[in-house]
């Protein structure tokens, strides 16, 4: 799909959500479902003074968690895909732990690492890293063997194999796995930010709910959704730049 087509699809989806939201607000006419216009005006009023610090905190946690997961998961996945012995050692562990609902580990993580930043970053990494490991490993395994033999015949070493073949051939799949994992990571971040913190979009939304301030609550939901959308766009831009051959 072209860039124009993606943007048109995004605008169409955004417009459809706004229309449905407005229709429900008009039909029900209850305080717990304010109109989109009222929510957007509220965002403009409170963003700079009240919401900005929460957005920065949440965005920082997501970016740190994603970078840690990529930094650990991609090299391990590449090594598992290239070296059969490493794959036999680590694949059973990955397959055993990957299906475990990571959110169920939150109490254990918080008991071990406290209620601060560490536990939130660890939860994001746990959510993202397994999909990145598996995708990176499978991307390497799907590279035809003759591609490696061709470079080996020219005297290439293992580092050249990774630099010239594995990394370029697998990058698109890694970015796709990152894009798919982002949505789950944002959801988990929202949940973890309701514990042991005063900053973050999860805290902001739940605090507004507890104060029965529905405009602020919906404003937080909209901003959190927009933040996730922007992260998706960043991954799309990176894919277009680094994987233009696709």
């Amino acid at each position: 799909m072209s860039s124009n087509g993606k943007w048109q699809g995004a605008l169409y989806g955004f417009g459809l959500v706004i229309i449905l939201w407005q229709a429900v607000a008009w039909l029900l006419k209850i305080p717990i479902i304010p109109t989109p216009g009222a929510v957007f005006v509220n965002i403009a009023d409170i963003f700079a003074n009240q919401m900005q610090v929460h957005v920065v905190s949440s965005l920082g946690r997501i970016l740190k968690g994603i970078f840690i997961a990529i930094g650990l998961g991609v090299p391990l996945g590449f090594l598992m895909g290239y070296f059969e012995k490493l794959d036999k050692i680590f694949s059973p562990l990955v397959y055993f732990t990957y299906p475990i609902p990571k959110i169920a580990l939150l109490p254990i993580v918080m008991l071990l690492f406290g209620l601060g930043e560490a536990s939130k970053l660890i939860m994001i990494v746990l959510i993202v890293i397994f999909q990145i490991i598996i995708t990176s490993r499978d991307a390497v395994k799907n590279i035809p063997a003759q591609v490696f033999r061709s470079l080996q015949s020219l005297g290439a070493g293992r580092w050249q194999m990774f630099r010239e073949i594995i990394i370029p051939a697998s990058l698109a799949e890694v970015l796709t796995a990152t894009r798919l994992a982002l949505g789950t990571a944002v959801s988990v971040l929202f949940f973890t930010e309701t514990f042991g913190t005063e900053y973050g979009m999860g805290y902001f939304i739940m605090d507004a709910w507890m104060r029965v301030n529905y405009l602020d609550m919906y404003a937080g939901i909209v901003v959190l959704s927009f933040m996730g959308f922007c992260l998706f766009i960043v991954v799309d831009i990176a894919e277009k730049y680094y994987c233009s051959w696709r």
Side-chain angles (χ1 to χ4, degrees), residues 47-126:
F47 185 85
N49 295 326
Q50 299 181 36
M51 194 183 293
Q52 186 176 8
V53 64
H54 298 284
V55 172
V56 172
S57 297
S58 292
L59 187 59
R61 289 170 184 140
I62 290 177
L63 292 179
K64 289 176 186 177
I66 292 294
F67 284 138
I68 292 172
I70 291 175
L72 296 176
V74 171
L76 179 58
F78 284 171
L79 291 172
M80 289 169 61
Y82 188 74
F83 297 104
E84 190 68 27
K85 290 183 179 180
L86 286 179
D87 188 35
K88 289 180 179 179
I89 294 172
F90 287 105
S91 281
L93 178 63
V94 171
Y95 286 152
F96 177 75
T97 54
Y98 182 48
I100 297 175
K102 307 305 182 298
I103 199 66
L105 300 177
L106 179 61
I108 299 174
V109 171
M110 287 186 169
L111 286 173
L112 292 175
F113 300 98
L115 301 177
E117 292 295 311
S119 60
K120 296 171 178 57
L121 289 178
I122 289 170
M123 286 304 302
I124 294 174
V125 172
L126 286 175

Side-chain angles (χ1 to χ4, degrees), residues 2-188:
S2 65
S3 298
N4 290 335
K6 287 184 178 180
W7 282 110
Q8 289 175 357
L11 291 174
Y12 172 78
F14 176 75
L16 184 60
V17 169
I18 295 301
I19 291 171
L20 291 175
W21 181 0
Q22 183 69 61
V24 172
W26 276 343
L27 287 173
L28 298 181
K29 295 181 180 179
I30 53 179
I32 63 173
I33 304 182
T35 63
V39 172
F40 292 140
V41 169
N42 188 53
I43 292 174
D45 291 339
I46 69 172
F47 185 85
N49 295 326
Q50 299 181 36
M51 194 183 293
Q52 186 176 8
V53 64
H54 298 284
V55 172
V56 172
S57 297
S58 292
L59 187 59
R61 289 170 184 140
I62 290 177
L63 292 179
K64 289 176 186 177
I66 292 294
F67 284 138
I68 292 172
I70 291 175
L72 296 176
V74 171
L76 179 58
F78 284 171
L79 291 172
M80 289 169 61
Y82 188 74
F83 297 104
E84 190 68 27
K85 290 183 179 180
L86 286 179
D87 188 35
K88 289 180 179 179
I89 294 172
F90 287 105
S91 281
L93 178 63
V94 171
Y95 286 152
F96 177 75
T97 54
Y98 182 48
I100 297 175
K102 307 305 182 298
I103 199 66
L105 300 177
L106 179 61
I108 299 174
V109 171
M110 287 186 169
L111 286 173
L112 292 175
F113 300 98
L115 301 177
E117 292 295 311
S119 60
K120 296 171 178 57
L121 289 178
I122 289 170
M123 286 304 302
I124 294 174
V125 172
L126 286 175
I127 291 295
V128 175
I129 195 169
F130 289 98
Q131 191 165 2
I132 291 177
I133 290 173
I134 293 173
T135 302
S136 302
R137 184 205 63 177
D138 292 348
V140 175
K141 286 182 174 293
N142 289 332
I143 299 174
Q146 57 266 30
V147 176
F148 293 105
R149 287 196 291 267
S150 299
L151 201 59
Q152 284 175 334
S153 66
L154 298 175
R158 285 177 176 172
W159 166 242
Q160 289 176 305
M161 292 288 186
F162 278 87
R163 186 182 63 190
E164 302 296 337
I165 297 176
I166 292 176
I167 294 176
S170 306
L171 184 57
E173 283 75 12
V174 171
L175 290 174
T176 298
T178 303
R179 186 188 298 110
L180 294 174
L182 273 172
T184 307
V186 172
S187 300
V188 172

